[in-house]
Amino acid sequence: MAAETIARVTIDTDDVIAEIPRTIFGGFAEHLGRCIYGGIYDPESKHADQHGLRKDVLDALREMQLSVMRWPGGNFVSNYFWQDGVGPRAERPRRRELAWQSIETNQFGTNEFVDFCRELKIEPMLAVNLGTGTTADAARYVEYCNAPPGTELADLRGKHGYPRPHAVKYWCLGNEMDGPWQIGQLTAEDYAKKAREAAKIMRLTDPSIQTIVCGSSGPWMKTFPQWDRTALELCWEYANFLSLHNYATNWENDTASFLGYANEFEHHIDTLATVLRETKQKLGAKHDIYLSQDEWNVWYKDRKFDGGWRVAPPLCEETYNLEDALVVAQWLNVFLRKCDVLKMACIAQVVNVIAPLKTRGDDLLRESTFYPFVMYAQHARGKSLRPKVDVATISTKRFGDVPLLDVAATVDDATKKAAVFLVHRGQTETLNVEISFRGANAPAKVAASRQIWGLDPKASNSFERPDVVAPREVGAMPLKNGSLRLKLPPLSVSVIALYL
Ligand code: AHR
């Protein structure tokens, strides 16, 4: 009889990577397709509150425990003039929206977005237009949002019903300015000069803001990571974050490779961490710059970009399946393992457009990817730990040999809880795992455990069958002498929550 295969995970609560910034659980909402109109904002819906926000969507977003939300784009922002979206709604212009070939009504603008964030108790993260917009306009936007009453734009905000400053902390200096698809695409040098001047005068307007410099649009860009290096060298003095974007794809329908994606996510962050270290050293800079992965998700099934000059056309409405949920879980594992350098991340996007939530009329669907996000946001608290994993590998076309297990672990002194997050990449066999805890704060008891799993990587939720891919509670698990044993089903993500 073949010996039982077993994976061993060792977690030492003293082997700390860093405090987990809540800002790694962020979202992104763009004026693209039905994300804003028909997703977040839908005054015609029976779920609309007094501001036109969909209460069912707000409730689901609350479940995701988001900490920050990026807006209004994305590619949209590179030709967006914030003045169009403030003031009396009846007077706001309808415009041809060039990034997505749609009609923008401007019924949802900055003040509505800030209200939406306040309703969810999350930090707004605004992007300024560095495509067709000017640096002066970016600074005027900061004045409109953040200045105390007494100057023209602060008083304009007051006239619009918001006398108190919005105190918006996070500001993105444009979006994907290296991309040929971007309205107003720039070379690295030209972008860096423009972003630097914008950040300088935005900070002169409000010194408390934090700025995010555009890095490359993806690790696959030919100018990566030289673009990032150039942008950092010129902007360091006025920057707090470097942005990175990436979308995972499975065009080849190769599940084994797709499930190895953590490899790429980790390498992407490691490369940029090196660029950050080297640039700081070269400049003799005093402050650190951290990474903001302010667009990440699985995206390849619906690549419709042309809205046909309609208002809120359905674009990029991906249906997510089990293997996508496991890739999302790995991405969250990577964020936890890299949170010493990556301090912000926004899932792109939150509703309808490549999103964990989908509306159809007054109905709302939670896609498969919604659930791992909720499981992690709920349990990953306190400090991220460095797990040691001893497990067999599987061979993949795209990433070579990849471990069968992808693991992250956390411990929280405040709530006296710990958590272990395990993605099992095996597609057919159950994997026996032994987890051993060490250290001063080693857990004493399992509190609960939840699992998402299935045998069909393509299984997905639909309005008719909404719970095909959803977490299930796992039975009690004894923790003896600091160790516990469990069986991980194939194609699974598990969260084990423990008491210290
Ligand atoms: O999230 C969809 C689009 O993807 C964003 O507008 C853009 O920044 C990225 O290319």
Side-chain angles (χ1 to χ4, degrees):
M1 205 167 78
E4 187 190 43
T5 41
I6 185 150
R8 291 181 205 285
V9 177
T10 311
I11 295 164
D12 181 342
T13 55
D14 297 325
D15 195 359
V16 173
I17 297 169
E19 284 287 331
I20 302 162
R22 277 312 289 177
T23 39
I24 62 170
F25 297 105
F28 170 42
E30 178 170 4
H31 286 242
L32 190 185
R34 300 191 307 124
C35 180
I36 303 294
Y37 305 109
I40 287 169
Y41 175 77
D42 190 356
E44 305 302 318
S45 167
K46 72 171 188 196
H47 298 297
D49 69 6
Q50 72 276 23
H51 305 297
L53 300 175
R54 275 186 73 141
K55 286 185 278 184
D56 55 341
V57 172
L58 287 172
D59 286 343
L61 292 174
R62 275 188 202 101
E63 282 177 59
M64 291 173 73
Q65 304 187 27
L66 296 158
S67 59
V68 60
M69 185 77 73
R70 179 169 175 255
W71 178 89
N75 298 341
F76 170 83
V77 79
S78 293
N79 193 34
Y80 177 62
F81 292 89
W82 61 269
Q83 297 87 341
D84 288 349
V86 296
R89 280 203 167 106
E91 292 168 23
R92 297 186 194 173
R94 279 169 77 91
R95 293 213 190 276
R96 281 167 92 79
E97 197 291 291
L98 304 183
W100 307 108
Q101 308 275 290
S102 306
I103 297 296
E104 172 57 49
T105 64
N106 283 304
Q107 293 304 290
F108 190 92
T110 301
N111 295 316
E112 289 80 22
F113 174 67
V114 172
D115 282 344
F116 160 76
C117 289
R118 300 298 175 227
E119 181 65 43
L120 289 174
K121 299 193 171 54
I122 61 183
E123 286 283 343
M125 178 177 176
L126 296 182
V128 298
N129 171 2
L130 291 190
T132 57
T134 62
T135 54
D137 204 38
R140 286 168 66 80
Y141 195 16
V142 176
E143 182 185 338
Y144 179 85
C145 290
N146 286 6
T151 59
E152 185 201 356
L153 294 173
D155 291 344
L156 182 65
R157 185 189 66 232
K159 213 169 120 199
H160 294 159
Y162 298 84
R164 285 183 46 203
H166 289 322
V168 175
K169 182 169 166 188
Y170 299 116
W171 292 82
C172 301
L173 304 168
N175 175 71
E176 296 189 349
M177 298 304 298
D178 58 335
W181 58 88
Q182 200 65 217
I183 294 173
Q185 184 202 3
L186 294 167
T187 62
E189 288 73 19
D190 288 347
Y191 167 70
K193 281 186 205 146
K194 189 169 183 181
R196 178 189 165 93
E197 292 313 303
K200 189 198 291 175
I201 57 175
M202 287 163 74
R203 281 192 171 190
L204 285 170
T205 308
D206 178 357
S208 73
I209 65 168
Q210 301 212 349
T211 59
I212 299 112
V213 173
C214 284
S216 299
S217 299
W220 39 268
M221 290 293 288
K222 289 207 173 67
T223 45
F224 173 82
Q226 189 47 43
W227 165 285
D228 309 70
R229 204 181 286 279
T230 305
L232 284 171
E233 280 184 13
L234 274 136
C235 296
W236 195 284
E237 193 179 344
Y238 301 105
N240 304 94
F241 293 92
L242 174 74
S243 151
L244 59 149
H245 292 177
N246 197 12
Y247 292 95
T249 62
N250 189 8
W251 308 105
E252 302 80 13
N253 192 18
D254 171 359
T255 296
S257 292
F258 188 52
L259 292 179
Y261 242 110
N263 208 292
E264 175 174 310
F265 307 154
E266 206 139 17
H267 187 60
H268 189 187
I269 293 170
D270 286 344
T271 305
L272 289 173
T274 305
V275 173
L276 284 172
R277 265 200 312 278
E278 288 175 356
T279 312
K280 185 180 178 198
Q281 168 79 18
K282 181 173 172 186
L283 300 175
K286 297 260 177 313
H287 77 280
D288 280 306
I289 288 185
Y290 295 104
L291 298 177
S292 167
Q293 180 131 24
D294 40 44
E295 286 189 32
W296 67 270
N297 208 339
V298 174
W299 182 20
Y300 66 101
K301 303 181 205 94
D302 181 349
R303 306 281 290 192
K304 273 198 293 306
F305 296 158
D306 184 343
W309 304 117
R310 286 172 293 158
V311 175
L315 296 178
C316 314
E317 301 212 350
E318 199 95 342
T319 294
Y320 287 109
N321 58 33
L322 175 61
E323 64 181 17
D324 299 332
L326 301 184
V327 170
V328 162
Q330 286 178 54
W331 224 316
L332 294 166
N333 275 347
V334 170
F335 293 158
L336 289 172
R337 295 198 296 262
K338 298 288 167 190
C339 71
D340 52 339
V341 62
L342 187 137
K343 305 262 181 215
M344 180 120 67
C346 304
I347 188 168
Q349 300 189 9
V350 287
V351 193
N352 289 331
V353 173
I354 37 174
L357 296 169
K358 193 176 278 163
T359 62
R360 186 177 72 182
D362 283 329
D363 295 337
L364 178 68
L365 176 69
R366 285 159 176 77
E367 294 274 352
S368 63
T369 50
F370 174 82
Y371 294 106
F373 194 100
V374 171
M375 281 158 66
Y376 280 71
Q378 189 182 351
H379 293 290
R381 304 271 163 163
K383 295 177 214 144
S384 176
L385 303 174
R386 195 173 284 107
K388 293 191 180 58
V389 184
D390 178 11
V391 68
T393 56
I394 36 172
S395 88
T396 72
K397 277 201 196 110
R398 186 163 177 173
F399 300 113
D401 287 347
V402 171
L404 262 176
L405 264 186
D406 191 74
V407 186
T410 61
V411 67
D412 186 15
D413 302 331
T415 57
K416 306 238 170 295
K417 283 189 178 161
V420 187
F421 306 87
L422 306 115
V423 177
H424 176 206
R425 298 181 164 111
Q427 295 188 48
T428 48
E429 309 290 323
T430 295
L431 182 70
N432 295 298
V433 182
E434 185 177 74
I435 308 180
S436 307
F437 296 95
R438 311 250 156 87
N441 262 336
K445 196 173 174 235
V446 174
S449 53
R450 307 188 90 193
Q451 230 158 38
I452 301 170
W453 76 279
L455 292 172
D456 176 7
K458 307 296 180 191
S460 60
N461 297 337
S462 62
F463 284 94
E464 293 67 37
R465 296 185 64 215
D467 297 319
V468 174
V469 187
R472 321 259 172 243
E473 300 297 331
V474 182
M477 242 175 247
L479 181 64
K480 278 194 213 136
N481 304 324
S483 293
L484 66 88
R485 282 184 162 233
L486 66 155
K487 287 185 187 301
L488 296 182
L491 295 172
S492 62
V493 50
S494 309
V495 177
I496 322 289
L498 305 113
Y499 296 118
L500 300 189

